[in-house]
Amino acid sequence: MTKINRRALLKSTAGASGLALAGSMLGTPLIAQTRSLKVGSYGGYFEDSFKSFVYPAFTEATGIEIESVTQPNSSDWLVTMQQATAAGTVPADVSLYARDALIKASRIGGLLAPLETKNMKASENLDGYFVFEDTTGVIGVGAMSWFTSMVINPEYVETPPASWAEFWDTGQYESSLGISKLHNSNFLDIVAATFFEGEATFASNDGIVALVEKARELKANTALWWSAESQMEQAMKNGDVIGGMYYHDVAQLMAADGFSILSHFPKEGNPQGYGSWCLSTLSEKKAEAEEFINFSSDPATQALMSRMIGTAPLVDKSKTDLTDEEFAAVSGTPAIQPAYEAYLDNETFIKETWDTMLGTS
């Protein structure tokens, strides 16, 4: 999510109209109260945008003041919250957790308080996948999402591939693709969705080996195994690669700046990551937190975040007033759901098998 702060598309929409929309659709201000809530979100442009657009709209609709708390990536924040909980402190009442960090927090236990869905009726707009429940109850409700997508240079590839499988065609793509070199970058999820049984393929070591061996077949077509976003960006701009995998939002910004790049959703879809709002077990602001999460789940707020932050909505487009162009700028269908639990449970084997493949011919 560190890439989200680069979203220049914030500049393309009038903030006042988005704020007015959220206020009008999500309720009128309540009688003045001394209620407040500390909300953690990724820093930089991302947090600034929440402070400028989302939090004021929430306060206007509910009277609850938001104190913004800067949090790092989900994994580091999980460690921070573990230490804080042990010390009896609450850095933030509500925080953002990516799904892998949410699963870890659930397994650790005692960090996240269960939420009452009856107090968050708007969360019914979300697909059940984005409402995370463990033995204690619902401990995470989806906030927003992002995609890693297929990209091509339309100057060299006239017809966007109908399937990821076309990238394995050496006749067209020999030494011309850019693929992430990280074992957990979701490329194996793409392979699983394209050639195997999806997430179920990760259930055994044999399945993981089969995924990696299929990825090995793409080595002849891969000119760049990138580990940093900037590497793929420059390779696309220079014409060193004509396709591969990249971040949907950044590709859209590059295209808006005049570079020849197209972010495309093939028939298998693109991997979708997402963040969830979660409540600290030590927080005394459960009622306020549920109001905030309910507000966040409303289609009007989801559309506001898409316009002003550049995140993909977690509600169906038909429930929002997003235009086709606005929706395409941040989202698409279908979505590939990464094998989060497999990456956590079998991380060492997956990483070693993947790294060995990269290091051998």
Side-chain angles (χ1 to χ4, degrees), residues 30-273:
L30 303 177
I31 297 173
Q33 302 177 53
T34 57
R35 304 172 74 200
S36 63
L37 185 70
K38 291 190 293 184
V39 179
S41 64
Y42 310 115
Y45 212 19
F46 184 82
E47 182 184 7
D48 290 344
S49 301
F50 262 94
K51 290 164 67 175
S52 296
F53 305 111
V54 179
Y55 298 156
F58 173 68
T59 300
E60 182 180 349
T62 66
I64 300 171
E65 296 289 339
I66 295 292
E67 178 184 340
S68 184
V69 177
T70 303
Q71 67 171 83
N73 65 69
S74 295
S75 296
D76 290 344
W77 185 245
L78 175 59
V79 174
T80 297
M81 291 300 286
Q82 257 188 289
Q83 295 170 343
T85 302
T89 61
V90 186
D93 299 297
V94 173
S95 304
L96 273 176
Y97 285 74
R99 190 175 178 95
D100 55 348
L102 182 51
I103 294 171
K104 288 180 182 178
S106 173
R107 293 178 177 183
I108 293 169
L111 300 178
L112 303 178
L115 298 158
E116 301 293 336
T117 54
K118 66 182 181 181
N119 299 327
M120 303 178 297
K121 291 294 186 181
S123 67
E124 295 175 2
N125 291 295
L126 279 58
D127 184 280
Y129 174 74
F130 300 115
V131 179
F132 188 93
E133 187 173 359
D134 66 6
T135 56
T136 66
V138 172
I139 60 170
V141 177
M144 76 292 289
S145 70
W146 51 89
F147 285 89
T148 302
S149 71
M150 170 188 284
V151 294
I152 59 168
N153 184 329
E155 291 184 3
Y156 294 92
V157 184
E158 294 183 1
T159 303
S163 166
W164 282 98
E166 293 184 37
F167 274 174
W168 272 254
D169 180 1
T170 304
Q172 183 171 5
Y173 292 104
E174 185 175 9
S175 299
S176 63
L177 300 176
I179 304 295
S180 174
K181 72 183 296 183
L182 304 179
H183 74 284
N184 57 354
S185 65
N186 299 140
F187 184 63
L188 287 179
D189 297 288
I190 291 169
V191 175
T194 305
F195 298 102
F196 297 91
E197 301 300 318
E199 185 176 351
T201 316
F202 288 83
S204 68
N205 285 356
D206 287 344
I208 292 167
V209 169
L211 292 172
V212 174
E213 287 305 305
K214 191 63 184 181
R216 181 192 297 275
E217 295 177 11
L218 198 66
K219 292 183 76 171
N221 291 358
T222 304
L224 173 69
W225 293 96
W226 57 273
S227 56
E229 176 184 316
S230 58
Q231 293 174 308
M232 182 59 174
E233 177 180 345
Q234 199 58 49
M236 286 295 294
K237 288 180 177 179
N238 294 343
D240 295 332
V241 299
I242 63 171
M245 60 183 293
Y246 198 44
Y247 304 118
H248 177 71
D249 59 320
V250 182
Q252 295 289 73
L253 293 177
M254 289 173 62
D257 286 341
F259 293 102
S260 185
I261 185 171
L262 172 68
S263 181
H264 174 62
F265 280 71
K267 67 179 184 180
E268 299 86 9
N270 289 321
Q272 180 181 29

